[in-house]
């Protein structure tokens, strides 16, 4: 099924021939992202959807998020270096050619196919006819016979390229082409190129493209081959590779430049400013989603795709790429305010309307079209009106000379103007006059957003919350008091009447009637510049990009309390992001601040200003033509043993019962937007939400039969379940076998019966001896019971002990905490300790080394804790310490000493030098305020949040979260970890040893 899904890429998903290369979305991966080596020499996608990457050192399998190296250690000694040619056969297998033969790649397995003896370097691979694999070498043509390459004719011919074209096989040799159909072979010479080596062949309809070290050749139909040189450099330089996309373009690579030949004959040389300098693309191919992959000798791996964005730059005539404001010109064009004046885009070109020198300040900061002829231009130095091509100062705007104009909001009755020096209103009778003088003070004097209700009433977003203006009266609505001290950067009334307020750093506030709730932790970022609604979605531009969420997922303030709103799952996903593939959505630099004209919605096109031009985002194209992800269970890992999912059921019959399942979903357009649920049938009662994590961990599994399943859903809610569940059997230990317990019980009963029978026989003759015998049998029964109790006690200890480190496990903590809290009624300190960058240990040294690090680190923590403290392995590389009897004023010194003691910690992994690692600590006290002692698990959420902050602050540090000055006697309530920002803001909690941050830190992998 996988192979069928990957036969061709749909033309609907292909790169559009109408787009400029600079408008494609370009992603780049390097060694820093996990590639084995910088030079990418071969690429292909297998029938399961994985992209295989061949580099000079080894090959790797890529799922859009993780590169999984297949080097000698992984392949059992097979050399996977220098893979220089690639091919995907009809059965979905990927073939790479290297200097010792060919490599066959599929799922979790690499197989080497080579000639007998010393082997022979393979230079080209194809399949002709279907099912017969052919290999071009410097010694002639070879084919696969079992696991060996054997000669298939053309002995002694140096074959550098092969391509099958239906019934025809094309063979590229030195100075000539061979055309084979059936049993007939015809030789075609390259005129003037007798010694010319053919390195690549590409059949495209009636055309055969021929790559050589001295330029590109073309055989068009029955015409003889001839040089193809519309540009001189294509006739002089070596052609590195050729490929086509299903949009109709031919891609041609030389070391200095990449070229694109469109189906209409237009040849584009991709400039350095559009791509990279000297890209040296060795290989390219189009995957099932229409992505174009490019493997570079110097810049590693690229992916180009259509994306959602069309850019307006200096190439279109934009004088200054630093854009602030956008406005519809009413005639099918767009007015563009830049740092150097006012421009207009229409019919694909940009022209300057007002140079910056003609304005009070060159930067056009805000635009508002009042009618067909009049345009108000807000600058950082005053206000101007442009009408019929002429500039003037609006009546009353003389008072604004030298003042920054932040927002202009016209209505039918008046024009509202927000400045950095208060609010103004312009009417036909009175001109521009101040509103609410004296009512806007301090930070509130700087107006950032406006939502007019009519000519007399307006909602005003300031740098100190929100105000309501009615005529000359200015007030703060009760529901807006939560916004005091926050910059309100945008305001929007949704079609259903819901009011949305965006803030600089406090998320979104939703208002219905007199009730307001705050959305914060469930959002991708706390910053919101502008708000726009389109096609049942709310779009939010921010300092990190553009994200959206379904309107139907927004909670109703009239029925949702504040606690439920915090961290509410609203289905937000990135459309554009600065981090690009490291989050989700397309990578793009966006967006420039908050004001009415910082976003322009025209139909389904959202125009956004940026420091590098204008971005036009096609909102209607989001999700269109998306392909269904291919979901796979990859493997289970127990200790250092990896069990691939296609290797059959996994049986655990030893002491190790801690295992990890790895899974993935292959969707290269937005891989980090994928969300996963997994379930171990026979153990989990329901599906477990893994978020974007692609691994599941189980510890101390009981004996039984299980089945691991996984399903994935994309950002549009489409859910797909993996078709390859992994079956698992856990054999019982000797002490868990029910027959042993039954035998012990039966044996005891038999002893008792035997004693009774023997006693009855001897009762008449020897009463005294009978009593002695009964006592003896009773003692034996008691000893049997004691042994059974001891065995049960051993089982209890095993179930509460971490097998790797010997420390108590999570279950033991839950068992021992009530006694710990009773022993220390004044409270305890809960600390979570996490090893920094532990994932790199497993990746670079192997899981056995990772186990050594965990054991040694556990020994260090044992030495660092006192008698009476509770130390346990909490999971993975994370440990928990419960300190009893530790005074509050001594905690900081204790945490600092723990970190300092760890600085001398080295791990001997058998390498040349010992490995040095650091760790981070997050802690809190329990209880806080009137919180019940039994709610200690909720306090762990605070320690967990402190640990995240320690990680985000650079690691190798500690952060505490303790009672603040306004903690009082009230309890924190359930799940305080979801309300940390609110509790800190109220002064009920406070951070210890925390570096200040503008926005909250998003969750990340702890081992990263």
């Amino acid at each position: 099924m996988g192979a069928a899904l990957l036969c061709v890429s749909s033309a609907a998903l292909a790169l559009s021939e109408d787009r400029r290369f600079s408008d494609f979305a370009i992603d780049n991966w390097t060694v820093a992202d996990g590639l084995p080596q910088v030079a990418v020499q071969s690429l292909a996608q297998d029938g399961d959807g994985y992209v295989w990457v061949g580099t000079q050192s080894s090959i790797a399998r890529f799922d859009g998020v993780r590169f999984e190296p297949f080097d000698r250690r992984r392949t059992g000694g097979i050399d996977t270096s220098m893979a220089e040619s690639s091919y995907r056969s009809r059965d979905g297998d990927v073939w790479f050619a290297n200097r010792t033969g060919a490599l066959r790649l599929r799922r979790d397995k690499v197989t080497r196919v080579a000639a007998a003896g010393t082997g022979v370097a393979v230079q080209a691979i194809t399949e002709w006819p279907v099912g017969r694999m052919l290999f071009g070498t410097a010694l002639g043509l070879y084919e696969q016979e079992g696991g060996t390459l054997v000669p298939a004719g053309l002995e002694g011919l140096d074959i550098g390229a092969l391509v099958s074209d239906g019934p025809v096989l094309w063979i590229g040799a030195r100075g000539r082409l061979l055309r084979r159909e059936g049993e007939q072979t015809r030789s075609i010479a390259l005129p003037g190129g007798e010694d010319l080596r053919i390195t690549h062949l590409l059949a495209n309809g009636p055309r055969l493209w021929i790559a050589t070290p001295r330029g590109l050749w073309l055989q068009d139909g029955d015409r003889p081959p001839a040089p193809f040189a519309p540009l001189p450099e294509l006739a002089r330089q070596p052609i590195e590779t050729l490929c086509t996309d299903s949009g109709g373009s031919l891609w041609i690579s030389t070391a200095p430049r990449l070229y694109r030949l469109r189906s209409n004959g237009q040849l584009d040389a991709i400039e350095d400013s559009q791509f990279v300098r000297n890209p040296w693309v060795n290989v390219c191919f189009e995957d099932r989603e229409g992505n174009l992959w490019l493997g570079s000798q110097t810049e590693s791996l690229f992916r180009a795709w259509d994306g959602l964005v069309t850019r307006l730059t200096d190439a279109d005539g934009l004088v200054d790429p630093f854009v602030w404001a956008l406005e519809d010109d009413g005639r099918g064009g767009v007015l563009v305010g830049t740092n150097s004046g006012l421009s207009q885009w229409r019919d694909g070109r940009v022209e300057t309307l007002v140079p910056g020198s003609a304005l009070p300040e060159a930067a056009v900061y805000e635009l508002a079209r009042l009618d067909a002829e009049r345009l108000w231009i807000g600058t950082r130095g005053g206000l101007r009106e442009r009408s019929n091509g002429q500039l003037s100062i609006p009546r009353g705007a003389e008072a604004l000379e030298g003042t920054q104009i932040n927002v202009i909001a016209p209505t039918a009755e008046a024009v509202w103007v927000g400045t950095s020096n208060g609010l103004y209103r312009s009417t036909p009778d009175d001109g521009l006059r101040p509103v609410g003088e004296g009512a806007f003070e301090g930070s509130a004097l700087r107006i950032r957003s406006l939502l007019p209700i009519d000519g007399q009433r307006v909602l005003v977003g300031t740098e100190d919350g929100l105000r309501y203006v009615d005529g000359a009266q200015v007030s703060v609505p009760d529901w807006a008091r939560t916004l005091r001290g926050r910059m309100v950067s945008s305001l929007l009334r949704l079609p259903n009447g819901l009011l949305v307020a965006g803030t600089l750093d406090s998320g979104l506030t939703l208002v219905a009637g007199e009730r307001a709730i705050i959305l914060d932790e469930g959002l991708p970022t706390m910053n919101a510049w502008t708000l726009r609604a389109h096609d049942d979605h709310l779009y939010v531009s921010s300092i990190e990009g553009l994200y959206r969420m379904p309107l139907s997922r927004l909670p109703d303030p009239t029925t949702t309390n504040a606690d439920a709103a915090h961290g509410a799952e609203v289905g937000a996903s990135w459309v554009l992001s600065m981090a690009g593939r490291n989050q989700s959505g397309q990578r793009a630099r966006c967006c420039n601040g908050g004001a009415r004209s910082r976003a322009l919605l025209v139909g389904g096109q959202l125009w956004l200003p940026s420091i590098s031009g204008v971005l036009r985002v096609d909102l209607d194209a989001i999700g269109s033509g998306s392909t269904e992800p291919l979901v796979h269970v990859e493997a289970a890992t127990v200790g250092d043993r990896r069990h691939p999912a296609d290797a059959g059921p996994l049986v655990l019959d030893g002491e190790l019962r801690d295992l990890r399942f790895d899974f993935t979903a292959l969707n290269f357009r937005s891989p980090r937007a994928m969300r996963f649920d997994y379930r171990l049938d026979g153990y989990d009662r329901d599906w477990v939400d893994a978020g974007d994590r692609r691994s599941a961990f189980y510890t101390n599994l009981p004996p039984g039969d299980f089945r691991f399943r996984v399903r994935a859903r994309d950002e549009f809610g489409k859910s797909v379940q993996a078709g390859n569940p992994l079956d698992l059997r856990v054999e019982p230990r000797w002490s868990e076998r029910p027959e042993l317990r039954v035998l012990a019980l039966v044996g005891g009963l038999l002893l008792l019966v035997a004693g009774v029978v023997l006693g009855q026989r001897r009762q008449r003759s020897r009463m005294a001896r009978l009593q002695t015998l009964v006592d003896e049998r009773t003692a034996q029964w008691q000893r049997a019971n004691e042994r059974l109790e001891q065995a049960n006690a051993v089982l209890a200890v095993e179930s509460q002990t971490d097998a790797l480190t010997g420390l108590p496990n999570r279950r033991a903590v839950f068992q021992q905490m009530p006694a710990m809290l009773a022993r220390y009624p004044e409270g305890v300190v809960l600390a979570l300790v996490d090893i920094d960058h532990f994932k790199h240990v497993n990746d670079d040294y192997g899981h056995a080394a990772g186990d050594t690090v965990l054991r040694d680190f556990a020994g260090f923590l044992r030495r660092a804790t006192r008698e009476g403290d509770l130390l346990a392995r909490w999971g993975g590389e994370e440990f928990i310490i419960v300190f009893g009897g530790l005074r509050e004023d001594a905690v900081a010194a204790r945490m600092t000493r723990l970190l300092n003691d760890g600085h001398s910690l080295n791990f001997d992994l058998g390498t040349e030098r010992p490995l040095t690692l650091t760790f981070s600590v997050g802690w809190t006290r329990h209880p806080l305020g009137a919180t019940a002692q039994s709610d200690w698990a909720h306090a762990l959420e605070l320690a967990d949040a402190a640990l995240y902050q320690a990680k985000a602050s650079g690691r190798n540090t500690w952060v505490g979260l303790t009672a603040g000055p306004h903690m009082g006697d009230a309890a924190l309530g359930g799940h305080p970890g979801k309300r940390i920002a609110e509790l800190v803001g109220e002064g009920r909690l406070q951070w210890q040893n925390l570096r200040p941050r503008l926005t909250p830190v998003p969750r990340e992998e702890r081992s990263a």
Side-chain angles (χ1 to χ4, degrees):
M1 177 180 175
L5 287 170
L6 293 175
C7 284
V8 292
S9 170
S10 168
L13 301 176
L15 298 178
S16 170
E17 278 211 301
D18 297 331
R19 277 185 181 268
R20 299 175 300 192
F21 188 85
S22 58
D23 286 331
F24 292 145
I26 306 291
D27 294 317
N28 178 224
W29 292 268
T30 66
V31 174
D33 302 298
L35 267 174
Q37 196 264 344
V38 65
V40 175
Q41 299 177 310
S42 52
L43 287 169
Q45 186 174 37
D46 68 17
D48 294 320
Y50 292 98
V51 170
W52 291 83
V53 186
T55 73
Q56 289 183 346
S57 65
S58 67
I59 62 177
R61 189 177 69 178
F62 187 42
D63 67 354
V65 174
R66 302 176 297 197
F67 287 95
E68 191 172 358
F70 281 71
D71 52 17
R72 287 184 184 270
R73 290 175 297 178
R74 177 66 183 274
T75 61
I78 296 176
D79 179 13
T80 64
S81 65
M82 302 303 292
E84 295 185 345
S85 182
S86 51
Y87 184 82
R88 187 177 66 81
S89 57
R90 293 293 183 92
D91 60 6
D93 288 354
V94 166
W95 292 82
F96 280 177
N98 71 0
R99 56 195 171 188
T100 62
L103 304 172
R104 186 175 188 173
L105 321 171
R106 185 69 182 271
R107 296 188 176 94
D108 224 54
K109 190 174 183 181
V110 176
T111 306
R112 178 174 176 262
V113 180
T118 58
V120 60
V122 172
Q123 301 175 155
I125 307 174
T126 195
E127 182 178 16
W128 182 84
V130 175
R132 184 192 184 197
M133 299 302 302
L134 297 177
F135 305 87
T137 77
L139 305 178
L141 191 64
Y142 281 70
E143 64 180 322
Q144 179 192 6
E145 191 174 278
T148 306
L149 297 184
V150 298
L154 304 180
E155 289 82 358
L157 198 63
D158 184 358
I159 299 175
L162 294 169
V163 66
S164 60
D165 184 17
V168 176
L169 172 66
W170 291 97
I171 302 170
R174 191 174 294 276
R176 56 179 170 148
L177 278 172
L178 298 177
R179 183 185 187 277
R180 177 175 288 183
E181 185 171 4
E183 298 298 324
Q184 301 297 316
T185 300
R186 181 165 64 96
S187 178
I188 305 170
L190 298 184
E194 291 76 10
D195 62 340
L196 195 57
R197 187 169 182 272
I198 296 175
T199 56
H200 296 276
L201 292 172
L202 191 149
N204 188 16
R207 292 182 164 189
L208 181 68
W209 296 94
I210 306 165
T212 78
R214 295 202 300 270
L216 182 64
W217 290 58
L218 171 64
Q219 177 176 286
D220 195 351
D222 294 330
R223 298 175 183 173
F228 180 81
L231 296 176
E233 55 263 34
L234 284 180
R236 296 192 302 265
Q237 296 184 0
I239 304 300
E240 301 296 334
T241 193
L242 301 167
C243 67
T244 58
D245 64 49
S246 50
S249 292
L250 170 70
W251 297 87
I252 308 162
S253 168
T254 67
R257 197 167 302 284
L258 181 67
Y259 299 86
R260 178 191 189 190
L261 180 62
R262 308 192 195 207
S263 59
N264 62 4
Q266 177 181 333
L267 181 64
D268 303 327
I270 309 304
E271 300 297 331
D272 295 347
S273 60
Q274 297 178 304
F275 191 26
V276 293
R277 190 168 183 269
N278 296 326
W280 197 339
V281 174
N282 288 319
V283 59
C284 59
F285 87 98
E286 183 186 49
D287 69 10
R288 74 185 188 101
E289 299 170 46
N291 301 304
L292 182 69
W293 295 81
L294 306 168
S296 167
Q297 181 76 13
T298 55
E299 304 294 334
S300 299
L301 181 63
F302 292 94
R303 177 184 66 129
W305 51 292
D306 247 5
L308 305 168
V309 175
T310 302
R311 291 170 173 82
L312 196 63
T313 66
D314 52 359
D316 304 288
L318 197 61
V319 175
D320 191 329
F322 202 126
V323 180
W324 285 112
L326 299 164
E327 178 66 295
D328 187 353
D329 71 354
R331 299 179 176 88
V334 174
L335 299 167
V336 183
T338 75
N339 252 1
S340 303
L342 177 67
S343 298
Q344 182 182 43
W345 174 88
R346 189 184 295 170
D347 299 329
R349 293 299 299 170
V350 177
E351 63 173 333
T352 300
L353 296 183
V354 180
S357 58
L359 298 169
E361 208 277 337
V364 175
Y365 206 62
E366 173 72 340
L367 291 169
R369 187 166 58 88
L370 308 188
D371 54 39
E373 299 299 333
R374 294 191 301 152
L375 174 73
W376 278 20
I377 305 171
T379 76
R380 286 175 165 168
L383 180 65
R384 291 293 184 269
E385 178 179 309
R386 185 175 187 271
S387 179
N388 296 316
Q390 301 298 315
L391 285 180
S392 62
I393 301 177
R395 186 157 59 97
E398 295 83 0
L400 296 181
E401 290 297 287
T403 300
Q404 179 169 303
I405 309 301
N406 292 325
V407 56
I408 306 170
T411 69
E413 301 88 358
V415 180
W416 298 90
V417 180
T419 76
S420 293
N421 194 31
L423 178 66
Y424 292 78
R425 182 181 64 189
S426 174
T427 63
D429 295 334
D430 299 329
L432 196 68
R433 292 191 175 186
V435 177
E437 286 186 290
F440 295 95
E441 298 178 335
S443 298
L445 199 60
R446 295 187 286 274
I447 312 299
R448 290 293 181 176
S449 55
L450 295 169
L451 182 62
I453 300 172
D454 52 35
Q456 293 292 321
R457 297 177 297 162
V458 64
L459 290 174
V460 184
T462 78
E463 293 187 9
D464 183 29
L466 188 138
R467 304 293 189 273
Y468 171 65
V469 174
D470 187 354
Q473 301 298 314
V474 180
S475 61
V476 179
D478 289 340
W479 56 262
R481 299 191 184 280
T482 58
L483 292 169
R484 291 300 293 264
R486 294 171 168 84
M487 176 174 152
V488 180
S489 50
S490 52
L491 294 163
L492 177 67
R493 181 78 66 180
L494 296 177
N496 62 1
L498 191 68
L499 174 66
V500 186
T503 66
L504 173 68
D505 59 0
S506 300
L508 303 178
T509 296
L510 307 182
V511 185
E514 294 301 316
R515 290 181 57 84
I517 56 176
I518 297 174
L519 290 181
D520 46 17
E521 294 181 17
L523 302 177
T525 174
M526 300 288 278
N527 171 249
W529 284 141
T530 67
L531 305 168
R532 295 293 184 270
H534 174 71
D535 194 21
D536 300 326
H537 279 80
L538 175 64
Y539 290 83
V540 184
S541 71
S542 73
I543 197 171
E544 297 181 48
L546 175 72
Y547 69 90
R548 72 172 193 163
M549 66 192 85
L551 297 178
S552 60
R553 299 286 292 275
L554 296 178
D556 184 353
T558 62
T559 58
T560 306
N561 60 40
D563 288 342
H566 282 291
E569 183 58 50
V570 293
S573 61
W574 288 106
V575 178
L576 309 176
S577 67
M578 292 285 286
R581 58 181 171 77
N582 292 324
Q583 294 176 339
S584 62
Q586 180 178 341
R587 186 173 185 269
R589 295 175 65 91
C590 174
C591 304
N592 279 355
R596 191 192 66 84
S597 63
R598 295 294 189 274
L600 174 64
L601 183 60
V602 181
Q605 306 287 315
L606 181 63
W607 298 67
L608 297 168
S610 79
I611 63 174
S612 54
V614 180
L615 307 181
R616 185 174 64 186
V617 186
D618 187 355
L619 303 184
D620 294 334
I622 298 175
S624 63
S626 61
T627 57
E628 184 177 277
L630 301 175
V631 186
H632 303 293
V633 177
E634 294 185 316
T637 301
V638 184
D640 57 358
R641 172 191 171 197
R642 178 183 172 88
H643 182 86
D646 60 353
L650 170 63
V651 178
L652 300 182
D653 55 3
E655 291 299 310
L656 286 179
R657 292 188 177 180
D658 297 347
L659 71 163
R660 184 188 77 231
F661 291 100
D662 293 320
F663 44 85
T664 192
L666 295 159
N667 180 340
F668 291 101
R669 285 292 172 96
S670 194
R672 293 191 180 272
M674 300 300 300
R675 296 295 179 265
F676 297 89
D677 304 304
Y678 63 83
R679 178 174 180 169
L680 187 61
D681 292 342
Y683 185 82
D684 293 322
R685 293 183 177 180
D686 203 351
W687 290 91
V688 179
D689 185 354
D692 60 357
R693 184 163 45 89
R694 300 184 177 217
S695 297
F697 300 87
Y698 289 88
T699 60
N700 211 18
L701 284 171
D705 293 315
F706 309 96
R707 168 168 286 189
F708 182 79
R709 296 187 290 147
V710 67
R711 64 189 184 192
R713 59 189 184 278
D714 62 19
E715 57 191 314
F716 310 110
K718 185 186 299 179
S719 180
V720 179
Q721 184 166 315
N724 62 329
L726 198 157
D727 291 330
L728 167 69
R729 164 167 286 186
V730 179
E731 298 287 358
R733 300 184 179 103
W734 68 269
S735 56
E736 295 172 325
R737 297 183 183 275
E739 59 269 22
L740 291 180
R741 298 188 181 186
V742 171
L743 285 174
L745 180 59
V746 170
L749 290 174
L750 289 175
L751 287 174
L752 180 61
V753 170
V756 171
V757 171
L758 184 60
Q760 287 176 344
R761 289 179 178 177
R762 297 181 180 181
Q763 183 177 9
R764 295 187 184 93
S765 58
R766 297 189 174 212
M767 185 63 69
R769 188 176 178 183
L770 172 62
Q771 184 61 46
T772 301
L773 186 58
V774 170
D775 291 343
E776 182 180 331
R777 296 297 183 265
T778 302
Q780 290 176 352
W781 172 246
Q782 288 174 343
R783 287 194 295 274
N785 275 340
E786 289 173 0
R787 287 195 296 271
L788 188 58
E789 290 175 358
Q790 289 172 356
N792 287 334
V794 169
L795 289 176
V797 170
E798 287 183 356
S799 70
Q800 296 183 22
T801 302
D802 177 57
L804 178 63
T805 63
L807 294 178
N809 60 16
R810 184 186 293 253
R811 183 181 300 172
V813 174
F814 280 92
Q815 184 75 20
Q816 299 179 35
M817 274 303 292
M820 187 84 175
L821 294 171
R823 191 160 61 249
Y824 298 102
E826 71 279 9
V828 298
V829 173
L830 300 171
L832 291 175
V833 182
D834 190 90
I835 302 174
D836 297 330
H837 301 297
F838 180 75
K839 182 177 183 296
H840 297 323
V841 177
N842 285 334
D843 291 346
D844 297 343
Y845 301 96
H847 290 281
D851 291 347
T852 299
V853 169
L854 289 173
R855 283 192 295 267
D856 291 352
F857 188 70
F860 159 70
L861 292 180
R862 281 196 191 95
R863 299 188 295 274
T865 50
R866 310 164 303 172
E867 184 176 356
D869 295 338
L870 174 58
L871 168 64
R873 183 182 179 193
W874 196 241
E877 65 273 15
E878 191 172 65
F879 298 81
I880 185 172
I881 307 175
V882 184
F883 295 98
L886 189 60
R887 300 192 320 275
E888 184 155 356
D889 59 358
V891 179
R894 184 71 185 86
M895 298 302 169
T896 301
R897 187 166 71 254
L898 180 64
L899 285 170
N900 290 340
D901 290 346
H903 289 161
S904 61
L905 189 60
N906 293 320
F907 300 92
D908 185 3
L909 303 181
T911 54
E912 183 177 347
R913 286 183 291 185
L915 176 66
T916 301
L917 292 174
T918 61
F919 58 91
S920 304
V921 184
W923 65 270
T924 188
R925 293 193 68 88
H926 177 75
L928 297 177
T931 302
Q933 279 204 337
S934 60
D935 286 342
W936 67 271
H938 289 162
L940 270 179
E941 297 180 15
L942 305 184
D944 198 39
L947 178 60
Y948 283 133
Q949 294 291 351
K951 290 286 189 177
S953 299
R955 301 178 176 82
N956 193 21
T957 186
W958 63 263
V959 172
L961 189 55
T962 62
H966 303 298
M967 180 67 217
D969 296 328
L972 290 178
H975 299 295
K978 295 183 177 180
R979 300 179 289 113
I980 289 174
E982 175 186 344
L983 294 171
V984 171
E986 294 173 351
R988 298 179 65 192
L989 293 177
Q990 63 183 359
W991 294 104
Q992 302 287 341
N993 199 36
L994 175 66
R995 301 175 187 173
R997 296 181 60 88
L998 175 64
T999 58
V1001 179
R1003 278 180 169 262
E1004 60 181 18
E1005 293 291 336
R1006 292 190 180 175
S1007 59

